[in-house]
Amino acid sequence: MALHRLLGMEIGVPAPAMLDAFYQEIGFTGGSRSWGPTDQPGQIKINEAPFRQLREMRVGCESEEDLDRIVKNLEGLGIASQRSNGALRVPDPVNKWDVVIEPAEVADTPTQPQRIMNRPGERNRLDARHSLLTEATPHPPRRLGHIVVGSPDVAASLKFYTEGIDYRVSDIVGGIAFFLRCSPDHHNLLLAPGPVPYLNHYAIEHDDIDSVCRAATLYLREHEDAQIAGPGRHPIGGNMFWYMRDPSGTFFEYFADMDRILDDAGWQVREDWPMEDSWSLWGETRQPEVFFQPPDMPAVIEGWNKAHG
């Protein structure tokens, strides 16, 4: 597998300091517009922009030879790229943010201690209280896992990411939304229809369902109006989720326990997943309408049109 990891993203917002405070609050490390987990610093970079937007996504490949192949793929599609300092920068021809591909170590997040559980017939936590009661601090977020974007031309975007950049399709919903992966995760990028290109949400991985629910609960105690949806468990990808809104207006997702795909050839892409059966295996059964119409969408549309005509 040539592509193997989502390295990070850069976002643009009118007030970067608000996001600096946000990422510090939720447990990322860093500062001065660069944040991430301790083992992957700078996964999320922030820049000032007139409206909230995705400016760049960074993807890891295995070698320089992978970059050579991607350049040829792009040339076959008539798409220009720029290579410098060992990385390949490609402007997305539809959505206008940059995709940066660079050789990087094939790695996952470090192994984390698992909470001891009592299950029927398997009683492991004996003479001890649950670890949530004894942890000095909540488990921190582990990494940026995936990005969800809206595009005014999903078909052209799909061709760019699959035939040009080498993303692989995992599943398709309603013939209009495409779950793509650049790693063993079920998805690192979801392409869905949008009136203009925009960042719908980004997802941050936590250790388990307890970490997701605890982190979300602590955040919502201080920001009651940030709730969007959850908790629940997606049938597509299998991950447990909880969605909230960050101070810039972008939705963010806490997730855990996503499907992993190691056998690309053996994975069966489900191409006919119905929209009405794609949201959650428990909890809310239908995706909230706010996902399709974020409150600040008029401002995003206006900003995009001013910037790109």
Side-chain angles (χ1 to χ4, degrees), residues 55-71:
R55 295 169 59 92
E56 176 184 290
M57 66 177 74
R58 303 188 302 278
V59 182
C61 66
E62 294 182 0
S63 67
E64 293 282 342
E65 288 74 18
D66 296 325
L67 296 183
D68 294 338
R69 190 187 64 262
I70 292 171
V71 168

Side-chain angles (χ1 to χ4, degrees), residues 29-106:
T29 60
S32 186
R33 305 187 182 184
S34 181
W35 297 89
T38 54
D39 63 301
Q40 299 181 68
Q43 266 208 311
I44 301 177
K45 298 185 183 298
I46 315 164
N47 232 311
E48 187 170 356
F51 63 99
R52 70 172 184 89
Q53 58 190 267
L54 178 64
R55 295 169 59 92
E56 176 184 290
M57 66 177 74
R58 303 188 302 278
V59 182
C61 66
E62 294 182 0
S63 67
E64 293 282 342
E65 288 74 18
D66 296 325
L67 296 183
D68 294 338
R69 190 187 64 262
I70 292 171
V71 168
K72 290 181 180 179
N73 291 345
L74 294 167
E75 288 175 348
L77 297 175
I79 298 172
S81 59
Q82 181 180 1
R83 195 163 173 171
S84 64
N85 299 321
L88 184 69
R89 180 175 294 273
V90 190
D92 181 319
V94 175
N95 303 300
K96 307 307 179 186
W97 48 68
D98 285 352
V99 181
V100 177
I101 309 103
E102 59 187 275
E105 178 186 5
V106 178

Side-chain angles (χ1 to χ4, degrees), residues 4 16 32 45 54 58 74 101 104 109-110 123 127 139 192 212 222 236 240 243-244 269 283 294 296-297:
H4 62 80
S32 186
K45 298 185 183 298
L54 178 64
R58 303 188 302 278
L74 294 167
I101 309 103
T109 54
R123 313 300 182 179
D127 303 319
H139 290 192
V212 166
E222 301 298 323
I236 307 174
M240 187 268 167
Y243 292 89
M244 291 161 282
V269 177
D296 66 345
M297 183 55 72

Side-chain angles (χ1 to χ4, degrees), residues 148-264:
V148 175
V149 299
S151 173
D153 192 337
V154 173
S157 296
L158 178 67
K159 186 172 184 176
F160 169 68
Y161 284 100
T162 57
E163 298 182 23
I165 305 298
D166 263 1
Y167 275 74
R168 301 170 294 283
V169 178
S170 298
D171 283 305
I172 304 170
V173 179
I176 59 172
F178 296 82
F179 289 81
L180 310 179
R181 65 186 185 277
C182 64
S183 80
D185 283 356
H186 176 274
H187 57 277
N188 306 103
L189 176 65
L190 171 58
L191 297 173
V196 296
Y198 78 102
L199 177 60
N200 179 276
H201 74 265
Y202 55 93
I204 297 170
E205 186 177 36
H206 274 270
D207 289 347
D208 51 31
I209 188 172
D210 280 307
S211 289
V212 166
C213 290
R214 187 181 194 186
T217 299
L218 290 174
Y219 187 73
L220 290 172
R221 283 176 183 169
E222 301 298 323
H223 310 276
E224 294 181 1
D225 60 347
Q227 168 70 4
I228 298 296
R233 184 177 285 275
H234 290 312
I236 307 174
N239 52 297
M240 187 268 167
F241 67 81
W242 199 322
Y243 292 89
M244 291 161 282
R245 182 185 293 108
D246 76 19
S248 76
T250 305
F251 302 162
F252 71 98
E253 173 191 2
Y254 284 154
F255 79 97
D257 192 23
M258 177 173 282
D259 294 343
R260 297 277 283 185
I261 302 170
L262 298 181
D263 182 2
D264 287 331

